[in-house]
Amino acid sequence: MKTAYIDNQEFEIVEGETMLTFIRRYREIGLVPTLCDAPNLDPFGSCRVCSVEVALEENGPVKTMASCHAPVAAGQHIYTSTDSVKALRKNIIELVLTDHPLDCLTCEVNGNCELQTVAAQVGIREVRYPEGDNHLYRMKDLSHPYMTSDLSKCINCYRCVRACDEVQGEFVLSMSGRGFDSHIIKGLDDSFMDSDCVSCGACSQACPTSAISDVFQSKAIQATDTTRTICTYCGVGCNLEVSTSNGEILSITAPYDAEVNQGHTCIKGRYAFKFYNHQDRLDSPMIKRNGTFEKVSWDEVYEYIASKLSYYKSEFGSDSIAGISSARCTNEENYLMQKFIRTVIGTNNIDGCARVCHSPTALGMQRTFGTGAATNSIDDLKDTNCIMVIGANPTDAHPVTGAKMKQFAMKSNNVSIVIDPRRTELARYATHHLALRPGTNVALLNMMMYYIITEGLVDASFVASRTEGYDAFQNEILNIDLDALEAVTGVNREEVKAAAVAYAKAPNAMSFHGLGVTEHSQGTFTVIQIADLALLTGNIGRRGVGVNPLRGQNNVQGSADMGVQPHQGAGYLDVTNDEVNKKYNEFYGVDVPKVIGYKIPEMFDAALEGKLKALWVIGEDIVQTDPNTKKVIKAIESTDLVIVQELFMTETAKYADVILPGASFLEKSGTFTNGERRVQAVRQVVEPVVGSKPDGQIIVDIMNKMGYPQADYTPEGMLEEISQIVPFFAGITWENLGKNGLQWPVAKDGTDTQILHTVDFKRGKGYFEFNAWEETQELVSHAKDFPYILTTNRELEHYNCGAMTRRTANEEILKDDYLMINPEDASENLINDGDYVCLESPRGKVDVKARITDEVKKGILSTTFHFPEIMINNLTGDIHDSEAMCPEYKVVAVRIRKSKGKYKKQLI
């Protein structure tokens, strides 16, 4: 055991740790003050306030060293509080204060300023140095909707620069000048608004003063309460600290002890929260009468819904009613919704947004591994040598995870493979970027597996001991037509080979995939291939490997876990299985149906055929976000009763017959399950908007109204029930979730699971399944008349249909949708940057502004779908994944021309 001494007291040391870490582990954190040190940043040593004296023997000759970055060594004697060290620290702070405004009483961080705290700690009562040149003349930068700076208060600690570099990887902030002229700049000395700042707020949280801050003054101490909860946006599942006073949210920061996000979050999680009390919030139940919504009481709306649903059930049968639950709701609320549909209504017509995003992931991984969820954790990036990111743009859609991947890709010894039609931000740093034609994922991955087999890079031992079906699979792969697949993908075979070899040779390789994999006619097959790649190379069952879907919505994993799908109930149990049916019947006390229900596209078809009489939609704007908008609208109009449970009057809500005002994530408690199977506690921050109710309580009220006894909604009570029917929730209780949650499966003793399939697969052995590439019918039928391929993407500033983010200052940063178009295509069609482009598909047409860029190849277009004014889904069609019925958003046959009429002269 190696030891060192703190003020002559002996303690054990950890190899490689710094003196400061060593001291703080055994003594109070404030014993050695710091200014340039931060929990989520690498040691730096710029301020020297953390200086200590170090001797090689007790009371021996000493050397003054900066403890934050000097490694501790065995036998060292570290003296933290000698008179000389105290005098040095005091002198350093005095020098800092000669160039710092002494307006503490009016400063926003008064009482929470690290400089102020350290000044008090070292005993500053006056500054001995005479007044000299200073930088107090520096002007504030208030150009940005969120970010602010007052660099007269900067102490040149570099924490903001390092946060921008080490946490976000954006490199917007830097130090310019030398000596006395050294100062922080943004970009090429721009304002925050004109720079490439992505508004993550890492610099603001890192700043020890208020030199860099935000409009919410998130370091001020006005708050009377702080609540830890989970972000409502993407599937990363960032932990948030929400500060409130008198029931009003003041600001949000990110806790450093969060295992998911370690003190980091994106613009949406940190700043885009003001939607919660926006004037557009729905504040009363409403019933549409004579084409007009009328506000009614909760009692009246419950009576109306119960009588209508009871009538349709008795007159047309249970299958005339369907429900669409929400990935923005908690696990407990999703569980209640599927339970209501199955036990009270008596049908399996329940589905959710996973249908239009990751349903192929669940199905493909279940067929291959037996479990349709991420095999590993994002933390495993620390232990991998290679990442393969296919069909995902994580720096925009999953920003905190994307920042970690970007940091990984920028390190020279790491291998990163990006498979995407667009040159995404991550692709710019990738070792290999395979820019394939949309719709050819299966073709390209078959090529990769061909080269892994022919180059002798298969992990034969793993394949022999832990898989089945390999021989037949290998025979199929070796017979693929490389010439044809190279031509159709548009990617040179040597590039594919290089990427395949890099993936297979890496000691540890992880794959990550997104909607660019699943939202295709062969989405499930592509997921199976990604799993096959992991099986081929033995990249399963340990840290730093695995298959990891990037979940698009905050609780899309959890909604599926809870049974929001027509073929599987809570816990992914097969509704058609006799034993499962018996288990459900006994547990729920009623007979539940055994027939597989409607998937969302089938609900629309049933409505158009007159079979579906009632549809209850919670938290999904299906008119704006589902494909073929005109068909969706027609289906809704063909349904007798449409109930929409929402925060705002969305495009779907406008077509509703009944509107129920639900609660946002800030107004209720429960759990979300993030993309790495981590079940985390969502804690209520403020009361629901007057007139609204938590979504779970609304469902409970209707269940009781229709005769099924269900206790009032509480996360404790619901988790107790869920743990009895969902096997992998067996050991989850509200009390044992703690700060960082638990990753399922969770054993009854509370032990959770970071890595799946370490010894066996859920299905026994991993299964190899070959699937040949087939052209999508979208192009087979329409490519001749509609020669361009349109694909869709998200932008960092907005989330899905934008119902929440468009009601925040994010809209000042990104104000509308745009079309990415290659310069050659723009030139051929006489389109200039900022012109409106008429996009036309076989289903309809829209006008959208052009953004000319070489990030897309010739013949490929890409657009966002955040703004209802444009309604991009008027263009998308009815082609779905052959297995899971996920819509093919990523391949739309279109033609283009410069817009006419009112759009002709409008410019950006």
Side-chain angles (χ1 to χ4, degrees):
M1 180 180 75
K2 294 182 179 180
T3 63
Y5 299 83
I6 302 172
D7 297 326
N8 292 332
Q9 189 173 356
E10 187 177 20
F11 298 99
E12 184 179 357
I13 66 173
V14 175
E15 193 71 31
E17 71 178 333
T18 66
M19 293 180 186
L20 182 63
T21 304
F22 171 59
I23 293 167
R24 286 180 168 175
R25 192 166 69 255
Y26 294 108
R27 304 292 294 274
E28 63 271 21
I29 286 182
L31 178 64
V32 176
T34 64
L35 281 177
C36 71
D37 184 67
N40 61 340
L41 301 178
D42 292 337
F44 194 65
S46 67
C47 75
R48 284 339 209 215
V49 176
C50 69
S51 292
V52 294
E53 291 182 338
V54 183
L56 297 180
E57 60 184 14
E58 185 174 346
N59 299 321
V62 297
K63 180 178 182 180
T64 303
M65 303 179 72
S67 64
C68 71
H69 70 95
V72 65
Q76 286 180 333
H77 287 257
I78 301 169
Y79 297 99
T80 64
S81 305
T82 64
D83 289 343
S84 54
V85 162
K86 288 180 178 179
L88 173 63
R89 293 171 184 161
K90 184 174 182 179
N91 190 54
I92 291 170
I93 298 302
E94 283 185 282
L95 288 168
V96 170
L97 292 177
T98 63
D99 194 11
H100 192 83
L102 302 180
D103 58 354
C104 297
L105 292 180
T106 57
C107 180
E108 69 179 73
V109 295
N110 183 27
N112 192 34
C113 171
E114 293 181 47
L115 177 60
Q116 188 181 54
T117 300
V118 172
Q121 184 178 352
V122 301
I124 299 292
R125 298 296 178 267
E126 62 178 349
V127 176
R128 295 171 295 161
Y129 296 100
E131 185 175 336
D133 290 343
N134 58 55
H135 300 101
L136 304 186
Y137 57 84
R138 290 172 176 164
M139 301 296 292
K140 294 181 179 180
D141 178 2
L142 304 176
S143 62
H144 195 277
Y146 295 128
M147 308 305 302
T148 66
S149 68
D150 180 359
L151 297 182
S152 70
K153 298 180 179 180
C154 179
I155 62 173
N156 286 13
C157 67
Y158 281 82
R159 272 165 63 166
C160 62
V161 176
R162 290 148 57 208
C164 194
D165 295 358
E166 298 171 20
V167 177
Q168 181 60 35
E170 205 63 25
F171 304 97
V172 170
L173 300 175
S174 57
M175 189 71 75
S176 179
R178 297 178 65 82
F180 183 73
D181 293 325
S182 299
H183 61 285
I184 297 294
I185 62 171
K186 306 137 194 164
L188 298 175
D189 209 2
D190 301 317
S191 68
F192 259 129
M193 193 61 177
D194 293 333
S195 74
D196 290 331
C197 173
V198 295
S199 316
C200 72
C203 58
S204 171
Q205 184 160 326
C207 180
T209 66
S210 61
I212 293 182
S213 186
D214 54 61
V215 297
F216 301 113
Q217 300 186 9
S218 55
K219 288 175 289 191
I221 57 171
Q222 303 172 57
T224 55
D225 292 291
T226 302
T227 307
R228 184 156 174 161
T229 191
I230 307 302
C231 183
T232 190
Y233 288 109
C234 76
V236 173
C238 290
N239 283 232
L240 307 176
E241 292 277 6
V242 187
S243 297
T244 57
S245 180
N246 296 321
E248 180 182 355
I249 296 173
L250 302 180
S251 64
I252 293 178
T253 57
Y256 288 115
D257 63 351
E259 292 179 6
V260 170
N261 51 312
Q262 301 91 28
H264 188 35
T265 185
C266 74
I267 178 176
K268 296 187 287 290
R270 191 185 297 270
Y271 296 133
F273 63 85
K274 294 297 284 184
F275 69 85
Y276 88 96
N277 62 352
H278 193 277
Q279 62 183 8
D280 291 348
R281 280 291 298 272
L282 298 171
D283 60 3
S284 172
M286 291 186 280
I287 298 174
K288 185 180 285 181
R289 295 184 173 117
N290 299 318
T292 302
F293 285 114
E294 296 180 7
K295 291 187 176 183
V296 298
S297 68
W298 281 103
D299 286 342
E300 182 177 350
V301 82
Y302 286 155
E303 181 65 37
Y304 184 84
I305 291 171
S307 62
K308 284 281 190 179
L309 293 181
S310 297
Y311 167 74
Y312 294 127
K313 180 179 176 181
S314 63
E315 191 71 17
F316 303 102
S318 297
D319 290 337
S320 68
I321 302 169
I324 298 176
S325 197
S326 176
R328 287 190 288 132
C329 287
T330 65
N331 284 320
E332 296 75 19
E333 290 169 332
N334 278 288
Y335 173 82
L336 280 168
M337 184 59 176
Q338 65 84 32
K339 181 180 178 181
F340 165 70
I341 291 292
R342 289 186 162 108
T343 62
V344 179
I345 302 300
T347 181
N348 282 313
N349 292 344
I350 178 69
D351 211 353
C353 83
R355 182 64 47 211
V356 297
C357 59
H358 269 290
S359 53
T361 289
L363 184 56
M365 292 178 70
Q366 283 174 8
R367 277 162 59 164
T368 312
F369 298 154
T371 301
T375 62
N376 290 63
S377 307
I378 300 301
D379 187 66
D380 286 21
L381 283 167
K382 297 174 183 175
D383 295 296
T384 195
N385 310 97
C386 171
I387 60 172
M388 180 178 74
V389 181
I390 173 168
N393 184 19
T395 55
D396 277 359
H398 310 84
V400 169
T401 295
K404 294 176 181 178
M405 291 181 180
K406 187 176 173 183
Q407 297 283 358
F408 176 91
M410 288 189 290
K411 292 180 171 63
S412 59
N413 292 330
N414 294 335
V415 174
S416 51
I417 302 164
V418 173
I419 302 174
D420 200 285
R422 296 171 53 211
R423 193 177 74 251
T424 61
E425 183 177 13
L426 207 56
R428 298 175 205 159
Y429 299 95
T431 317
H432 306 276
H433 176 210
L434 308 181
L436 77 175
R437 196 206 81 188
T440 62
N441 288 329
V442 169
L444 188 138
L445 292 176
N446 277 341
M447 292 173 71
M448 286 186 69
M449 290 187 284
Y450 173 90
Y451 286 117
I452 289 172
I453 292 171
T454 57
E455 293 296 310
L457 298 175
V458 175
D459 186 336
S461 174
F462 184 91
V463 168
S465 63
R466 295 202 53 191
T467 73
E468 59 187 5
Y470 177 68
D471 290 341
F473 173 83
Q474 176 185 258
N475 290 338
E476 294 283 3
I477 287 289
L478 293 178
N479 283 302
I480 63 173
D481 186 340
L482 280 177
D483 293 334
L485 298 186
E486 180 181 43
V488 77
T489 60
V491 182
N492 182 284
R493 69 179 67 188
E494 292 303 318
E495 294 180 33
V496 178
K497 180 179 179 180
V501 169
Y503 175 87
K505 283 188 173 181
N508 294 308
M510 297 181 79
S511 72
F512 299 88
H513 69 270
L515 306 188
V517 161
T518 58
E519 291 179 345
H520 286 280
S521 59
Q522 290 193 296
T524 299
F525 296 158
T526 307
V527 173
I528 289 171
Q529 288 178 305
I530 295 169
D532 287 339
L533 271 170
L535 294 177
L536 267 182
T537 54
N539 278 304
I540 284 288
R542 62 183 187 276
R543 276 190 64 86
V545 300
V547 177
N548 303 281
L550 295 169
R551 300 290 185 172
Q553 295 203 40
N554 58 303
N555 200 34
V556 68
Q557 177 70 57
S559 66
D561 296 345
M562 294 299 103
V564 177
Q565 45 202 343
H567 64 296
Q568 293 173 326
Y572 298 103
L573 304 182
D574 181 359
V575 297
T576 66
N577 181 281
D578 289 337
E579 287 301 312
V580 169
N581 183 255
K582 180 181 178 182
K583 180 178 181 178
Y584 283 147
N585 293 346
E586 291 175 352
F587 188 72
Y588 292 133
V590 298
D591 289 342
V592 298
K594 290 178 58 179
V595 178
I596 294 174
Y598 292 145
K599 301 178 180 70
I600 290 176
E602 293 170 329
M603 293 178 189
F604 299 150
D605 290 338
L608 293 171
E609 294 168 9
K611 296 177 182 178
L612 193 68
K613 300 300 180 183
L615 176 64
W616 188 336
V617 183
I618 302 179
E620 297 295 335
D621 191 359
I622 54 177
V623 168
Q624 187 178 339
T625 61
D626 277 44
N628 200 346
T629 297
K630 292 177 182 177
K631 177 182 176 180
V632 174
I633 292 173
K634 189 175 180 181
I636 291 174
E637 291 177 333
S638 300
T639 306
D640 290 354
L641 176 68
V642 176
I643 304 165
V644 173
Q645 194 165 314
E646 258 295 355
L647 303 180
F648 302 103
M649 184 62 74
T650 61
E651 298 305 302
T652 304
K654 293 174 184 177
Y655 290 92
D657 300 290
V658 176
I659 290 178
L660 303 174
S664 76
F665 81 111
L666 295 161
E667 300 156 356
K668 59 189 174 185
S669 295
T671 57
F672 292 156
T673 304
N674 77 349
E676 54 184 7
R677 298 172 282 104
R678 188 184 298 271
V679 183
Q680 300 185 99
V682 179
R683 298 177 178 90
Q684 183 176 343
V685 177
V686 293
E687 290 298 314
V689 168
V690 175
S692 68
K693 285 189 178 186
D695 300 86
Q697 188 59 48
I698 295 172
I699 301 167
V700 166
D701 291 345
I702 286 291
M703 292 175 79
N704 282 291
K705 185 71 175 178
M706 296 185 68
Y708 187 98
Q710 180 70 41
D712 280 349
Y713 176 83
T714 66
E716 300 93 334
M718 290 312 307
L719 281 174
E720 183 179 353
E721 178 176 338
I722 292 167
S723 67
Q724 298 175 56
I725 194 67
V726 175
F728 47 84
F729 267 54
I732 294 181
T733 66
W734 181 248
E735 292 74 22
N736 73 359
L737 287 173
K739 288 183 176 181
N740 287 297
L742 298 168
Q743 288 175 269
W744 68 251
V746 180
K748 287 187 176 181
D749 65 0
T751 303
D752 68 345
T753 309
Q754 284 75 47
I755 303 171
L756 298 182
H757 318 308
T758 54
V759 178
D760 296 304
F761 291 96
K762 179 75 181 294
R763 66 179 305 280
K765 290 191 173 185
Y767 178 64
F768 282 102
E769 178 182 326
F770 173 81
N771 290 285
W773 174 77
E774 291 184 9
E775 183 67 275
T776 170
Q777 284 301 307
E778 172 74 3
L779 298 184
V780 170
S781 301
H782 303 299
K784 182 178 179 181
D785 296 322
F786 299 87
Y788 293 91
I789 296 176
L790 174 70
T791 189
T792 58
N793 60 276
R794 289 184 181 180
E795 275 293 339
L796 169 68
E797 292 79 8
H798 289 289
Y799 173 74
N800 210 20
C801 68
M804 294 183 293
T805 51
R806 284 186 286 105
R807 291 174 171 89
T808 70
N810 286 31
E811 193 171 36
E812 297 177 37
I813 302 173
L814 184 65
K815 299 180 179 180
D816 47 28
D817 289 317
Y818 63 89
L819 178 72
M820 299 175 73
I821 181 171
N822 183 273
E824 289 185 48
D825 292 331
S827 177
E828 289 174 6
N829 290 277
L830 305 177
I831 293 168
N832 298 311
D833 199 65
D835 284 348
Y836 271 91
V837 177
C838 179
L839 272 175
E840 186 178 4
S841 81
R843 275 76 53 183
K845 61 182 180 180
V846 300
D847 292 271
V848 60
K849 288 178 182 176
R851 181 181 293 181
I852 299 174
T853 176
D854 62 0
E855 292 178 21
V856 291
K857 296 168 78 170
K858 181 175 169 55
I860 308 300
L861 309 169
S862 187
T863 188
T864 52
F865 55 94
H866 303 303
F867 292 83
E869 294 83 0
I870 293 178
M871 205 63 81
I872 289 297
N873 279 316
N874 276 318
L875 304 177
T876 49
D878 276 341
I879 304 299
H880 295 83
D881 171 62
S882 60
E883 311 300 295
M885 291 197 75
C886 179
E888 187 169 48
Y889 293 99
K890 301 304 182 186
V891 180
V892 183
V894 296
R895 55 190 176 212
I896 59 174
R897 61 170 171 79
K898 185 180 287 191
S899 295
K900 301 175 181 177
K902 67 177 182 177
Y903 297 103
K904 188 173 182 180
K905 294 183 180 180
Q906 293 186 35
L907 299 175
I908 287 177

